[in-house]
Amino acid sequence: ERYFGYYTWQQQVGIDALGTSIRKESSDWNKIYKHINIANMILASIDEQSTPKEEDELEVMRIKGEAYFLRGAYYFILVNLYGKPYTKTGAKNDLGVPIKNTEYIEDKVYDRNTVEEVYAQVLADLGEAEKCLEKTVHKSIYRADITATYLLLSRVHLYMQNWEMAESYARKVLAKQDDLRDLNMMEGIPFFLDTTLPEVIFTMGMGGIRFTISGLQKDMGISDELYALYKDNDLRKSYFVKYNESEGYVEYVKGGAPADFSRTSLSANFLFRTAEAYLNLAEATAYQGKEDDARKALNDLRVKRLATGQYTNSEESGADLIELIREERERELCLEGHRWFDLRRYAVHPTFPEEKEIVHESVKNGTKIGYYRLAPYSENSNNWVWPIPEDAVIFNDGALVANERDGAPLVEY
């Protein structure tokens, strides 16, 4: 009920299944802009801090770098929720989100910057973060450092189809931290995502995804399609997702037992791991025709995920290699906040486009309402973008152009 409008791609994402009530639709928009404003205030005043000692100067540099990193990350999330995926030709005209970098309140209406302008802001912020954090010491997994900055830069360039830069930054990540947990050696480790995980680079917030992706109430859970991607020799079939024989559905166990509703110490949807660097490297090099490099990066990850006695290196090439990398990304990064953004960027890939139709079943109080169909991107690109919150459009006197989203229709399947 709470996520119906999102789950079925409606124009009004706050609407309920019966169309009788509308929840507030601007929570995510407001929360992210609030965080951006906090970063703005820090960046406006951080250089005024007294730094009598060298360690004080480094501390100021670290805080400044973290603020730039976070602001870049927030704009990156916003533009991928509310703007169309980046393309070399479309980004100049496609509308993104407003850029506001002043720390004070301005009495003005805001319009939307283009997708290209927002990505330029993201790269500028991460460039400043890179300068600051390369000189500072990593405090903890809850604070961004230079390795996290490299990984986000790799991701951003991958989305922008800058394959060489995506490769370069992925290699920088792995030069700093290339650890992976070997699922063949999980004895004594209760679940995969915890603070001892050696591949964690950065995490923000606590993980509460089991509140909604438990399957226990059969409201939202692991899809049959995702579960089928894990072969019998894939140990993630036990440590990421697991079929519950007695209840007859697939559980999400990556962050602990489904019945344990306590929040975990790692955020599932804002988590930076070295596994992504391997996958970014594989994808970026494959697009450049460096297939040996792509296979090596992919196999370096797979050998830690598949059962030792049944493991063989990947030998795919061409389109088959691209497909394997994308499937591996879906398997490895499941429920970590990547899949929706990945599907969008695959749809606009210049040489290996991949589109997908998605159908979601809707049930209310045990009664099936029907099926909602998200058409492939080329058929209806508007539904692949979140609607700009109506109250934000009204507050800015209509200068903030709304996204023309049609709303996925109810269909019979």
Side-chain angles (χ1 to χ4, degrees):
E1 182 74 6
R2 183 177 174 186
Y3 301 107
F4 173 81
Y6 295 93
Y7 184 71
T8 58
W9 311 286
Q10 298 305 297
Q11 170 64 30
Q12 293 180 294
V13 291
I15 200 165
D16 69 355
L18 300 179
T20 56
S21 67
I22 304 275
R23 286 182 168 84
K24 186 176 180 180
E25 299 178 335
S26 57
S27 296
D28 299 290
W29 174 278
N30 291 340
K31 183 179 289 187
I32 297 174
Y33 272 111
K34 177 181 177 181
H35 292 332
I36 285 172
N37 200 53
I38 293 169
N40 290 342
M41 290 188 287
I42 292 169
L43 291 170
S45 61
I46 190 67
D47 287 337
E48 300 169 8
Q49 303 305 306
S50 173
T51 56
K53 300 178 183 177
E54 184 181 357
E55 53 262 39
D56 298 325
E57 188 174 341
L58 289 173
E59 191 75 349
V60 163
M61 190 75 72
R62 178 185 60 76
I63 293 169
K64 187 175 182 179
E66 288 179 14
Y68 274 121
F69 170 89
L70 291 173
R71 191 171 73 178
Y74 294 138
Y75 276 123
F76 178 69
I77 292 170
L78 279 170
V79 76
N80 277 284
L81 289 175
Y82 297 103
K84 289 189 174 178
Y86 188 100
T87 62
K88 301 284 187 184
T89 54
K92 293 180 176 62
N93 299 310
D94 289 335
L95 293 178
V97 295
I99 296 174
K100 184 201 183 285
N101 292 340
T102 54
E103 78 282 11
Y104 48 85
I105 296 172
E106 296 184 73
D107 185 13
K108 57 181 278 190
V109 295
Y110 282 85
D111 55 11
R112 294 169 66 183
N113 291 84
T114 65
V115 169
E116 184 177 70
E117 289 169 337
V118 180
Y119 268 87
Q121 177 65 51
V122 171
L123 290 179
D125 280 345
L126 295 180
E128 291 298 320
E130 189 176 3
K131 291 179 205 171
C132 295
L133 295 175
E134 65 184 1
K135 303 170 184 176
T136 61
V137 177
H138 189 202
K139 288 201 73 170
S140 77
I141 60 172
Y142 300 106
R143 297 294 186 95
D145 70 342
I146 188 62
T147 312
T149 306
Y150 289 156
L151 184 52
L152 187 51
L153 277 163
S154 173
R155 188 189 304 177
V156 172
H157 283 295
L158 199 64
Y159 282 41
M160 295 178 72
Q161 302 168 6
N162 297 331
W163 316 131
E164 296 87 352
M165 294 299 290
E167 175 194 353
S168 174
Y169 277 110
R171 291 190 186 281
K172 287 184 176 184
V173 173
L174 297 176
K176 289 275 188 182
Q177 184 174 340
D178 62 358
D179 296 321
L180 290 168
R181 174 168 281 171
D182 190 341
L183 296 187
N184 290 281
M185 303 176 68
M186 284 287 288
E187 186 175 352
I189 302 173
F191 52 88
F192 181 76
L193 292 181
D194 68 1
T195 54
T196 69
L197 184 64
E199 55 199 75
V200 173
I201 294 171
F202 171 64
T203 185
M204 182 174 10
M206 306 294 277
I209 201 165
R210 284 175 297 168
F211 286 99
T212 49
I213 313 291
S214 66
L216 293 176
Q217 298 174 345
K218 303 190 180 179
D219 49 359
M220 284 188 276
I222 302 300
S223 69
D224 294 338
E225 180 186 7
L226 173 59
Y227 186 63
L229 280 179
Y230 298 99
K231 307 307 178 188
D232 288 342
N233 67 332
D234 195 328
L235 298 175
R236 289 170 295 195
K237 201 171 184 178
S238 298
Y239 293 110
F240 286 20
V241 297
K242 187 177 182 180
Y243 186 73
N244 185 317
E245 295 284 352
S246 62
E247 299 292 336
Y249 59 86
V250 181
E251 299 173 332
Y252 173 69
V253 296
K254 202 175 190 179
D260 178 9
F261 284 107
S262 62
R263 291 182 177 270
T264 58
S265 52
L266 302 180
S267 171
N269 68 342
F270 208 106
L271 176 64
F272 286 47
R273 297 194 286 122
T274 54
E276 184 194 346
Y278 284 98
L279 291 164
N280 290 358
L281 179 58
E283 190 174 343
T285 51
Y287 293 149
Q288 296 175 72
K290 302 177 181 178
E291 294 195 341
D292 287 341
D293 290 345
R295 282 188 290 266
K296 182 182 185 310
L298 194 61
N299 290 327
D300 284 346
L301 172 65
R302 285 163 55 83
V303 73
K304 300 293 180 71
R305 303 298 190 239
L306 305 185
T308 301
Q310 304 171 54
Y311 174 78
T312 55
N313 274 336
S314 161
E315 299 294 341
E316 282 83 354
S317 63
D320 290 338
L321 178 59
I322 301 297
E323 182 180 3
L324 178 61
I325 291 169
R326 290 175 178 178
E327 286 184 352
E328 199 61 51
R329 193 173 177 90
E330 184 177 1
R331 281 186 283 260
E332 177 64 28
L333 301 177
C334 69
L335 278 72
E336 292 184 33
H338 292 270
R339 182 63 176 163
W340 175 248
F341 291 173
D342 281 347
L343 288 175
R344 286 165 28 101
R345 65 185 182 88
Y346 296 159
V348 298
H349 194 281
T351 51
F352 293 96
E354 177 188 343
E355 293 193 281
K356 189 174 179 63
E357 171 193 79
I358 307 176
V359 177
H360 281 170
E361 181 182 28
S362 181
V363 177
K364 181 175 176 63
N365 296 330
T367 301
K368 183 185 295 185
I369 295 174
Y371 296 90
Y372 290 84
R373 175 183 179 263
L374 178 64
Y377 186 86
S378 61
E379 184 180 326
N380 189 340
S381 62
N382 290 340
N383 283 354
W384 289 80
V385 181
W386 273 16
I388 300 293
E390 187 176 5
D391 57 354
V393 174
I394 293 170
F395 187 78
N396 285 277
D397 295 333
L400 209 61
V401 178
N403 283 330
E404 296 297 327
R405 184 157 130 149
D406 307 317
L410 187 65
V411 297
E412 292 184 7
Y413 267 79

